[in-house]
Amino acid sequence: MKLIKSYFIITFFTLFAIPFFGQVKNIGLPDVRNYKRNEYKGGTQNWNIGQDKNGNLYFANNNGLLQFDGASWRKYPLPNETSVRCLKIDASGKIFVGGYNEFGYFQPNAKGRLKYTSLAQKVDKNKIKIIDFIWKIHAVNNEIIFQSFARAYIYKNGKLSILKAPGRFQFSFVVNGKLYFQDVEHGILEYRNNRLYVLPNTKVLNNTEIWGMYTLEKNKILIITLERGLFIYENSTVKPWNTEANDFVKKNNSLGGSIIKNNFIVLNSVLDGVIICDFNGKIIQHVNRKKGLQNNTILTSFVDNKNNLWLGLDNGIAYINENSPFTYFGFSYDISTVYASVIDQGNLYVATNQGVFYHAWNTTFKEGVFKLVEGTTAQSWNVQVIENELICANNRGALVINGGKVTRTIDSKGYYGFKRIPNRPNFFIGSNYDGFAIFEKTAGGLVFKNQINGFDKSSNSFEVDDSYLWLKRDASIYRMTLNDELTRFSYIKKIDQLTPAYKNIGSLQKIDHKIYFQSNNHFYLYSKEQNLFIEDKALSRLFKNIPVINALSEDSQSNLWYAFDESLGVLMKENNTYKNVVAPFSNLTGNLVSNYLSINTIDPQNIFIGLTDGLAHYNSKLLTHFVTKPKAFIRSFSFPATRSYWGTIQIK
């Protein structure tokens, strides 16, 4: 074929960032779900991914075409039972596939089952004896192009034509509606009207394989190569894209990528999982085997209709929930069960069952683990900032933390936490394993004053008001009065129910600087003058349609977080009204720490939730785009003693 040299300017649309929708979080790791071959009943390698208008996902697998509806898998082999290397779904719903010496399309029949039509049968076997592997399929300008190394097969209006490679095709890509081939001799070629046009100065990439091409901005194309890194093609010139992402690709090689909502670039690697970078090449996320993937070699990536990421692996399939307001710090960050968290002097500290760990707050979280605070190796129940000192409530005692280590032990008893005593500005009370103790703030820091006599029970659930110390233990509360010297309890009363109507007391909490007592979702304040618990009916009404809660915590933004049946919800405060948010937290069910509701709200974009296996980061501003109305489809139904019918009937 004669090649035509082209000196025209390639034009592309400028891509603009869209706030939140399609956002990739730069803190923690997204939820990763791995699918092993014994689940999808296919081969190890998955080469390409697509999605139809009903949301079904398709995978080009070594053993055929895999279909996944979110619950069940189906496998559709090619007639010659060879590997499927690529697929493309066109506007009509046909699923075009290519394998070795075979290409064609699947299409649902009247009962919804996929039936295959071979287009390879249209190839004249007298002229072309071996089709070889079909590596890429494209739908451009009413044509379906099947690309092998030797030629491209063009299917249009029911007919098949041949486009021979000038030298040898490597791979091909559609960029902004235009189809490009890499030829090992002639560089990058643009396909137009059954002819190929040379892009100037692209032969410099002939000694490497191009695995991806994407538009970055007007007149600028990103080129992803296997082993030479990333390049920019602009103004008829190829130049390296000298960025953090390029360094990663040159070190780990790349098998292409994908684009998330015109904001972020997904780069598949051969050696170290997948990275996501912005359009400046700054790495935002890095997910590999150490961080949850079952395999480090990413053959393909695909962004679904919810902006979540699917990976075809050298061994298996992975789903990464990018369109979620949640990310996580778990085993890959070297932290376990989290009981509390706080930010102090530029570090995020977490109290865990193994000690206190910390990570720099103002630097990227994509790499590196949390470091152990020296001297805290033991059960740590709380970590708090008290009068500019970072105090850990630890099995070893009340510990002062500074510079990544314990600098002082205030008291050697085990502690649960500390509260300020109202009307006694320099005094604090701590709950320890033997009851309660008094601490005083001095010029040298917080110091232990005395253990309080007269009561030796303890709990992490306690509050202090102007008159009493209130302690919740089991299903009861204790009302206790301290003497003026703060040395002993002069009065103690155990209370088993707030009113005759409800037995047991569910939770003790401070809301808007007032101490509330909750029983069966009814909230009460204590009146000292009347010696009665009086219901706050306005607050109780907020919880009328909420399952019975067992814990509640007000955060720094006046939101009310509650736990119920090992699940989590929140009443988000907006303009003096509350909005109940519960659905997004369903994935945390069963993973909350029993009797330790740990919520640390820095701002609406940065909320930390303690879990049994680490720490969740929640961005409430991303919630709008996370919860969407699902579409339901009937795949099958049956009547007793009759056959089943299969289909894809949408329920509206």
Side-chain angles (χ1 to χ4, degrees):
M1 166 171 278
K2 183 178 178 182
L3 299 177
I4 303 170
K5 209 155 196 177
S6 173
Y7 293 96
F8 60 89
I9 297 175
I10 307 172
T11 59
F12 300 94
F13 295 113
T14 302
L15 302 175
F16 297 96
I18 300 175
F20 300 136
F21 197 42
Q23 181 71 34
V24 174
K25 292 175 64 179
N26 62 357
I27 179 170
L29 290 174
D31 190 31
V32 177
R33 168 72 161 95
N34 288 300
Y35 296 90
K36 298 181 182 295
R37 61 175 303 195
N38 62 356
E39 292 182 74
Y40 57 75
K41 309 299 182 185
T44 55
Q45 294 176 312
N46 294 276
W47 297 92
N48 203 199
I49 307 171
Q51 188 174 32
D52 66 22
K53 62 182 180 181
N54 293 334
N56 295 304
L57 286 151
Y58 298 87
F59 301 83
N61 181 268
N62 273 1
N63 287 7
L65 177 71
L66 303 179
Q67 182 191 54
F68 183 51
D69 62 8
S72 59
W73 296 85
R74 288 175 175 80
K75 181 173 65 178
Y76 297 92
L78 294 179
N80 62 0
E81 297 190 348
T82 60
S83 168
V84 177
R85 290 296 169 93
C86 54
L87 65 89
K88 181 68 179 181
I89 303 173
D90 73 356
S92 71
K94 291 179 179 176
I95 306 159
F96 293 91
V97 295
Y100 183 76
N101 279 345
E102 181 59 54
F103 62 91
Y105 60 88
F106 287 94
Q107 192 173 25
N109 62 13
K111 294 184 177 180
R113 287 193 175 276
L114 297 182
K115 296 297 181 182
Y116 183 72
T117 300
S118 175
L119 298 178
Q121 302 299 320
K122 296 178 178 289
V123 177
D124 188 342
K125 298 301 189 294
N126 295 319
K127 295 180 180 179
I128 301 174
K129 298 186 180 300
I130 299 177
I131 296 173
D132 204 354
F133 273 111
I134 301 296
W135 284 99
K136 297 284 185 178
I137 303 175
H138 308 285
V140 181
N141 298 326
N142 298 315
E143 295 178 329
I144 305 296
I145 295 97
F146 302 84
Q147 181 245 310
S148 71
F149 289 147
R151 58 190 66 84
Y153 302 87
I154 302 170
Y155 180 65
K156 185 176 183 179
N157 298 326
K159 296 181 179 180
L160 199 67
S161 59
I162 308 296
L163 176 68
K164 288 186 178 181
R168 178 180 179 271
F169 288 144
Q170 190 59 52
F171 296 115
S172 51
F173 313 93
V174 173
V175 183
N176 200 36
K178 298 178 181 180
L179 176 60
Y180 298 94
F181 294 85
Q182 183 192 16
D183 186 87
V184 296
E185 296 179 9
H186 300 277
I188 300 175
L189 314 173
E190 183 189 348
Y191 170 77
R192 281 184 284 136
N193 301 320
N194 208 37
R195 304 182 76 176
L196 295 172
Y197 298 82
V198 175
L199 293 193
N201 303 316
T202 57
K203 288 185 180 181
V204 296
L205 299 176
N206 281 1
N207 62 346
T208 188
E209 298 175 9
I210 296 175
W211 278 78
M213 292 176 61
Y214 299 98
T215 303
L216 287 188
E217 57 185 71
K218 187 176 181 180
N219 301 327
K220 183 183 288 187
I221 301 177
L222 172 66
I223 298 174
I224 306 169
T225 71
L226 174 63
E227 54 192 12
R228 287 182 57 192
L230 306 174
F231 295 85
I232 296 295
Y233 185 70
E234 184 179 26
N235 298 326
S236 300
T237 302
V238 175
K239 58 183 179 181
W241 198 35
N242 294 320
T243 60
E244 186 182 14
N246 191 25
D247 294 338
F248 176 88
V249 169
K250 287 193 290 186
K251 179 180 179 181
N252 297 290
N253 295 352
S254 180
L255 300 176
S258 52
I259 300 293
I260 298 179
K261 203 64 180 180
N262 298 337
N263 288 336
F264 302 96
I265 305 162
V266 180
L267 293 169
N268 319 326
S269 87
V270 177
L271 301 176
D272 198 14
V274 64
I275 62 169
I276 300 175
C277 67
D278 61 21
F279 274 25
N280 294 314
K282 180 182 178 182
I283 298 176
I284 306 298
Q285 270 183 17
H286 179 201
V287 185
N288 57 15
R289 189 166 184 173
K290 291 180 180 179
K291 297 179 179 179
L293 292 181
Q294 61 186 322
N295 189 273
N296 264 338
T297 300
I298 315 300
L299 301 179
T300 188
S301 56
F302 174 77
V303 180
D304 68 16
N305 58 15
K306 301 294 185 186
N307 289 305
N308 292 309
L309 186 62
W310 292 84
L311 304 178
L313 310 178
D314 190 57
N315 185 4
I317 294 167
Y319 164 78
I320 301 180
N321 192 358
E322 292 291 353
N323 194 36
S324 168
F326 294 96
T327 45
Y328 303 90
F329 301 92
F331 70 91
S332 63
Y333 285 91
D334 279 358
I335 57 175
S336 51
T337 304
V338 172
Y339 292 85
S341 63
V342 70
I343 287 180
D344 182 54
Q345 296 184 10
N347 289 317
L348 171 65
Y349 291 87
V350 292
T352 79
N353 61 306
Q354 297 176 328
V356 177
F357 293 78
Y358 69 101
H359 193 294
W361 171 244
N362 56 356
T363 60
T364 177
F365 278 82
K366 67 177 181 290
E367 304 292 353
V369 298
F370 279 68
K371 298 178 182 178
L372 175 68
V373 175
E374 295 178 24
T376 66
T377 306
Q379 172 69 59
S380 297
W381 299 107
N382 208 336
V383 59
Q384 304 168 250
V385 178
I386 299 176
E387 296 291 318
N388 299 318
E389 278 190 305
L390 185 62
I391 310 295
C392 170
N394 185 281
N395 192 54
R396 293 183 174 184
L399 311 176
V400 178
I401 296 172
N402 191 16
K405 62 182 179 181
V406 173
T407 57
R408 187 164 57 93
T409 299
I410 307 174
D411 185 35
S412 59
K413 294 186 185 70
Y415 277 85
Y416 293 112
F418 308 90
K419 306 276 187 183
R420 184 185 297 274
I421 301 176
N423 301 324
R424 302 293 288 266
N426 291 323
F427 289 90
F428 297 81
I429 191 165
S431 174
N432 61 37
Y433 294 178
D434 295 325
F436 292 89
I438 296 297
F439 296 81
E440 184 179 9
K441 178 66 177 177
T442 68
L446 201 66
V447 297
F448 174 79
K449 288 289 290 181
N450 58 270
Q451 184 75 14
I452 304 174
N453 295 320
F455 191 82
D456 60 2
K457 295 181 176 64
S458 59
S459 167
N460 66 304
S461 179
F462 70 100
E463 296 290 349
V464 187
D465 62 20
D466 291 341
S467 303
Y468 304 106
L469 183 149
W470 298 90
L471 169 71
K472 182 181 182 298
R473 185 177 169 89
D474 301 323
S476 302
I477 57 172
Y478 293 82
R479 186 174 81 235
M480 298 183 282
T481 304
L482 272 166
N483 64 4
D484 292 340
E485 294 77 22
L486 306 179
T487 57
R488 64 185 307 274
F489 290 109
S490 57
Y491 174 85
I492 299 172
K493 182 177 182 179
K494 183 182 179 184
I495 301 168
D496 296 320
Q497 56 186 119
L498 304 175
T499 68
Y502 304 108
K503 294 182 179 180
N504 301 330
I505 298 165
S507 62
L508 165 69
Q509 52 275 307
K510 185 172 282 188
I511 303 173
D512 193 23
H513 308 292
K514 293 177 286 188
I515 297 175
Y516 281 89
F517 309 86
Q518 178 269 137
S519 180
N520 202 41
N521 283 17
H522 291 261
F523 288 80
Y524 299 85
L525 292 164
Y526 177 71
S527 170
K528 183 178 179 181
E529 292 76 14
Q530 302 178 63
N531 191 26
L532 288 174
F533 290 95
I534 301 173
E535 185 173 6
D536 185 329
K537 294 185 177 180
L539 183 57
S540 296
R541 278 195 298 271
L542 291 176
F543 289 84
K544 181 180 180 181
N545 298 316
I546 292 173
V548 176
I549 70 172
N550 52 58
L552 186 146
S553 176
E554 183 184 42
D555 69 13
S556 63
Q557 307 294 308
S558 299
N559 304 309
L560 302 180
W561 296 82
Y562 58 88
F564 66 98
D565 295 332
E566 297 191 19
S567 300
L568 183 67
V570 61
L571 292 169
M572 302 292 288
K573 192 169 186 179
E574 300 175 355
N575 300 321
N576 293 320
T577 62
Y578 289 93
K579 177 183 178 182
N580 189 30
V581 179
V582 66
F585 305 104
S586 60
N587 59 326
L588 303 182
T589 297
N591 205 12
L592 299 176
V593 183
S594 179
N595 298 320
Y596 271 87
L597 180 57
S598 171
I599 307 295
N600 175 21
T601 300
I602 299 165
D603 54 46
Q605 292 83 18
N606 293 288
I607 301 171
F608 291 99
I609 303 169
L611 304 175
T612 57
D613 58 358
L615 187 70
H617 177 271
Y618 173 59
N619 184 342
S620 65
K621 293 298 184 181
L622 299 183
L623 179 63
T624 302
H625 306 291
F626 175 67
V627 180
T628 57
K629 182 181 179 181
K631 295 180 180 179
F633 295 90
I634 298 174
R635 288 206 65 99
S636 66
F637 62 92
S638 62
F639 298 97
T642 63
R643 73 181 69 181
S644 296
Y645 295 85
W646 299 83
T648 53
I649 303 170
Q650 182 176 355
I651 301 172
K652 296 184 178 179

